[in-house]
Amino acid sequence: MTEENAKEEIILEGIAASPGVAHGAALLYLQKELDVPCYDLQEGAIDSEIERFDQAILETREQISAVRRKVADSLGEAEARIFDAHLMVLEDSALLDEVISELRTTNKNIEFCYNKIAQRYIAFFSSMEDEYLKERVADIQDVARRLLHNMIGMQKSNLGELAAHSIIVSEDITPSDTADMDRNKLLGFITDAGGQTSHAVIMARSMRIPAVVGLHDATNRIESGDELLIDGYDGIVVINPSESRLFKYGKLVSERRKLDEIYSSVISEPSETLDGTPIGLMGNVDGAQEMQQVVEMQANGVGLFRTEGLFLRHHGYPSEAAQYQEYASVVQSAGDQPVIIRTLDIGGDKTLTHDAAQEDNSFMGFRAIRFCLENLDIFKTQLRAILRASASGNVKIMYPMISGLPELQRANQVLESVKAELRSENQAFDEAIEVGAMVEIPSAAAIVDLLAQEADFLSIGTNDLIQYLMAVDRLNDRVAHLYEPAHPAVLRTLKHVIDEANRLNIPVSVCGEMAGDPIYASLLLGMGASSLSLAASMLPEVKYLIRKMKITDARALVDEVMQINDPVAVVRRLEGFRIDTIGDM
Ligand code: PEP
Ligand code: MG
């Protein structure tokens, strides 16, 4: 390309969400609601309108069947069954008859008639008490959207069916979108919205997909096909990158690769500090598909198994058998290492139904243990599956979003009732199974002594703890700059929780994203956390640091940093400690 026709290079700055560099063509993925046209048909057009409808149904059927085959191959038959439900919705004769009768009486275009009837069904099912029927709303919405896209002439933009080697540009990305991503095809993603600890971003990090979020208006400035360079280390996106910039990034990538090789050299070494303190380094996983990486990185087990992924991939509530299969598979991969299975943390940005998504303040709403304690069927089914999986390995149970002692007591009562049920059925499980509580709500952080009465261990969820402590929604890009792990309030709270747990002799780990950040890992260990649980992709770097660090120095670092009130100065000091420890590589 000559200089005259080279396009102008444009740089956008956002939030570094998932490390890595990607270079490729943009693919705009817009999820805005469909604009369904409405117009009167010309005389005699009814038959051709019905023909158009039949054709769209056929096309939609083929698409759903293709997705079903793909899911059956990659995730298994049980997961693929959701698409049988989609096919049934698509061909539901009552709904189709109503659409045709609407067409004949109103003489409006077919997509308008179809949308009207589909919306009526959605409203009806949404109003049902029965959870199973409510769940059908998502099926109808999904099928209706796909069929309407086909009729309106736009292909449903589906992340699971993406063209190879693209960088997704989107307003936002949900955890379900990330679950659909094909890590072999997708180069990276960037979004207008989002913060560093949204679940989509956490998943991208563990899938090693580079990402930049919080760009505000990337979707207005970028078109599909634009050449993009994304830098997930520093949160930079370059549209039409120049040759010299590509060269610079080429060098950065090869330097990073060399660093990764250095970090990886310690994978099979023990996880202990230079002065001999052993440190538990565990993996965070979303499901069995991530265990290979955890095993390869030689983690000391799984410190956080987020079970929501299973529910999201299943597009509903998986049966006890399906859950058991998944949990047992993770436990088997872990060998004799512990696996901490966290009970369902649905809600917040992880919603199964669209009506749940409409909840105001969903992060402070009907989420996690709150949902489970009011949906005992779902909770008990999960506890049965976890307990049964405990028969074949070292399993622990952990409850998310505990805000007070009564909640923890209630959850444990339900657990005891499920144990009794299993005993009466002669089903094997670990009678001495340990139970832990997440400390991720400020009220829980203030009552460690009370939680210790009912829990065998604690795990600090810094992602939520920071958002609630600072009143900063972890998804909102407009307040993302206030999400500050180095804020004195966060550091004092973390220190208080860890001090209290150590005073009471109850193990305390950290499983939020701070644990996988090399500058905070040493601080958390200096405070006295007994183990860290992090994305397997970050394990080598954190282990490398631990092996070069003296625990006595990390303790001194804590004393020093607790005296610094400015978060920027704290980060500078922590970065200095990291570099002094590993050397300026
Ligand atoms: C946390 O809040 O830090 C945590 C580990 O849980 P999640 O990110 O799944 O909310
Ligand atoms: Mg949390």
Side-chain angles (χ1 to χ4, degrees):
M1 190 189 282
T2 63
E3 276 309 310
E4 293 97 81
N5 63 14
K7 290 188 186 154
E8 189 198 353
E9 191 183 68
I10 301 168
I11 296 180
L12 311 179
E13 283 180 32
I15 299 169
S18 177
V21 172
H23 173 218
L27 186 97
L28 225 55
Y29 173 70
L30 298 178
Q31 298 157 298
K32 285 190 182 120
E33 278 310 305
L34 268 179
D35 244 345
V36 181
C38 171
Y39 51 89
D40 291 320
L41 294 176
Q42 290 181 350
E43 251 189 55
I46 296 267
D47 285 348
S48 63
E49 205 63 359
I50 294 179
E51 211 172 290
R52 203 158 68 81
F53 190 41
D54 287 344
Q55 190 55 38
I57 292 177
L58 203 68
E59 202 182 327
T60 309
R61 169 170 243 297
E62 278 163 13
Q63 286 169 1
I64 297 175
S65 305
V67 177
R68 191 201 187 285
R69 276 194 300 277
K70 202 175 143 207
V71 171
D73 286 347
S74 55
L75 294 173
E77 192 54 31
E79 266 66 28
R81 255 177 236 132
I82 177 71
F83 296 102
D84 294 335
H86 282 200
L87 288 173
M88 279 164 70
V89 169
L90 178 69
E91 287 166 357
D92 184 285
S93 57
L95 190 150
L96 296 184
D97 288 350
E98 277 187 62
V99 175
I100 301 299
S101 125
E102 181 77 13
L103 172 75
R104 293 193 192 283
T105 33
T106 63
N107 209 40
K108 296 274 188 219
N109 57 311
I110 190 73
E111 44 278 80
F112 180 77
C113 299
Y114 176 79
N115 190 40
K116 188 168 168 189
I117 303 299
Q119 292 308 324
R120 194 184 295 159
Y121 272 64
I122 288 168
F124 174 72
F125 280 110
S126 303
S127 66
M128 306 289 266
E129 285 293 312
D130 184 303
E131 278 305 320
Y132 174 81
L133 291 177
K134 262 194 173 170
E135 270 307 310
R136 305 286 62 80
V137 170
D139 295 345
I140 306 174
Q141 267 162 335
D142 211 326
V143 171
R145 178 178 275 270
R146 195 182 277 275
L147 183 62
L148 285 167
H149 269 287
N150 285 335
M151 281 193 285
I152 296 167
M154 281 186 288
Q155 188 67 36
K156 181 184 187 307
S157 190
N158 186 334
L159 282 178
E161 299 160 12
L162 279 179
H165 305 304
S166 318
I167 295 173
I168 299 292
V169 182
S170 182
E171 291 137 340
D172 200 1
I173 277 184
T174 66
S176 326
D177 290 330
T178 321
D180 270 348
M181 284 179 185
D182 183 340
R183 70 187 84 181
N184 298 318
K185 284 188 183 170
L186 188 64
L187 293 179
F189 71 78
I190 64 175
T191 61
D192 292 343
Q196 235 174 1
T197 61
S198 75
H199 283 99
V201 161
I202 292 174
M203 285 161 80
R205 226 174 277 148
S206 69
M207 290 161 81
R208 293 166 170 266
I209 298 174
V212 177
V213 302
L215 288 154
H216 307 302
D217 63 349
T219 51
N220 290 332
R221 305 182 66 171
I222 297 171
E223 285 174 23
S224 281
D226 279 354
E227 184 185 350
L228 295 184
L229 176 80
I230 71 171
D231 169 359
Y233 297 108
D234 285 331
I236 290 174
V237 173
V238 187
I239 313 172
N240 308 319
S242 65
E243 288 299 324
S244 63
R245 190 170 306 272
L246 289 174
F247 180 71
K248 186 182 132 213
Y249 270 95
K251 270 175 53 184
L252 177 82
V253 168
S254 71
E255 279 161 19
R256 277 280 163 179
R257 227 171 259 148
K258 277 191 208 127
L259 269 185
D260 284 343
E261 276 167 26
I262 296 174
Y263 297 144
S264 300
S265 65
V266 300
I267 285 177
S268 50
E269 303 293 330
S271 169
E272 61 180 31
T273 60
L274 204 56
D275 47 356
T277 303
I279 305 289
L281 269 190
M282 308 172 86
N284 288 352
V285 299
D286 257 315
Q289 77 285 357
E290 290 187 3
M291 283 308 289
Q292 191 190 339
Q293 209 190 351
V294 168
V295 172
E296 276 169 14
M297 296 300 160
Q298 304 197 18
N300 309 117
V302 172
L304 170 64
F305 176 177
R306 289 184 170 96
T307 53
E308 306 78 60
L310 172 63
F311 288 65
L312 292 172
R313 284 190 291 278
H314 201 272
H315 298 267
Y317 301 106
S319 63
E320 180 183 325
Q323 291 188 58
Y324 170 74
Q325 202 182 6
E326 178 92 1
Y327 305 151
S329 153
V330 170
V331 171
Q332 192 192 9
S333 308
D336 50 12
Q337 306 272 24
V339 175
I340 301 179
I341 306 182
R342 183 175 76 180
T343 58
L344 186 61
D345 183 2
I346 215 72
D349 59 345
K350 291 179 287 194
T351 49
L352 290 176
T353 59
H354 283 250
D355 51 346
Q358 280 156 14
E359 195 181 33
D360 286 340
N361 294 323
S362 63
F363 269 114
M364 292 203 280
F366 194 45
R367 187 187 157 188
I369 199 70
R370 303 166 180 187
F371 172 88
C372 285
L373 290 176
E374 281 193 34
N375 287 278
L376 287 181
D377 287 356
I378 296 165
F379 192 32
K380 284 183 168 177
T381 303
Q382 181 172 42
L383 290 174
R384 281 180 63 97
I386 299 176
L387 282 169
R388 285 177 50 210
S390 75
S392 54
N394 183 353
V395 173
K396 303 178 192 211
I397 294 178
M398 180 158 75
Y399 306 122
M401 292 280 290
I402 292 292
S403 64
L405 184 60
E407 239 167 6
L408 181 54
Q409 285 166 328
R410 177 85 187 98
N412 276 341
Q413 278 161 7
V414 178
L415 178 66
E416 287 308 316
S417 74
V418 173
K419 283 185 184 170
E421 225 173 77
L422 289 177
R423 264 182 225 116
S424 70
E425 295 166 17
N426 280 329
Q427 300 251 30
F429 66 92
D430 176 8
E431 283 282 355
I433 193 163
E434 287 186 17
V435 174
M438 288 203 59
V439 178
E440 51 183 345
I441 298 183
S443 59
I447 54 161
V448 171
D449 54 333
L450 304 183
L451 299 182
Q453 294 171 14
E454 281 278 327
D456 301 302
F457 63 93
L458 301 175
S459 187
I460 307 178
T462 50
N463 306 336
D464 277 316
L465 187 59
I466 299 171
Q467 88 161 336
Y468 298 128
L469 208 49
M470 312 278 304
V472 175
D473 183 337
R474 54 197 265 201
L475 300 182
N476 188 338
D477 52 304
R478 299 185 66 180
V479 291
H481 60 288
L482 296 172
Y483 189 96
E484 185 46 89
H487 192 287
V490 175
L491 301 184
R492 288 181 199 182
T493 306
L494 290 171
K495 185 158 185 313
H496 168 77
V497 172
I498 296 172
D499 282 348
E500 276 291 277
N502 285 331
R503 182 177 69 81
L504 297 156
N505 253 330
I506 176 170
V508 59
S509 69
V510 181
C511 64
E513 292 303 291
M514 267 178 100
D517 185 330
I519 73 162
Y520 293 112
S522 32
L523 189 75
L524 295 166
L525 295 172
M527 285 181 179
S530 45
S531 62
L532 301 177
S533 190
L534 48 144
S537 57
M538 288 308 295
L539 251 145
E541 184 171 351
V542 174
K543 190 190 259 189
Y544 187 86
L545 173 87
I546 286 172
R547 289 182 51 79
K548 296 259 176 199
M549 175 191 99
K550 284 191 182 153
I551 197 73
T552 46
D553 289 343
R555 286 185 194 132
L557 175 73
V558 173
D559 292 340
E560 199 185 321
V561 160
M562 296 309 287
Q563 302 305 318
I564 309 176
N565 295 330
D566 171 14
V568 176
V570 170
V571 170
R572 208 180 306 123
R573 177 65 194 105
L574 295 179
E575 182 56 18
F577 181 85
R578 186 187 74 88
I579 291 172
D580 291 347
T581 306
I582 63 168
D584 198 359
M585 302 200 297

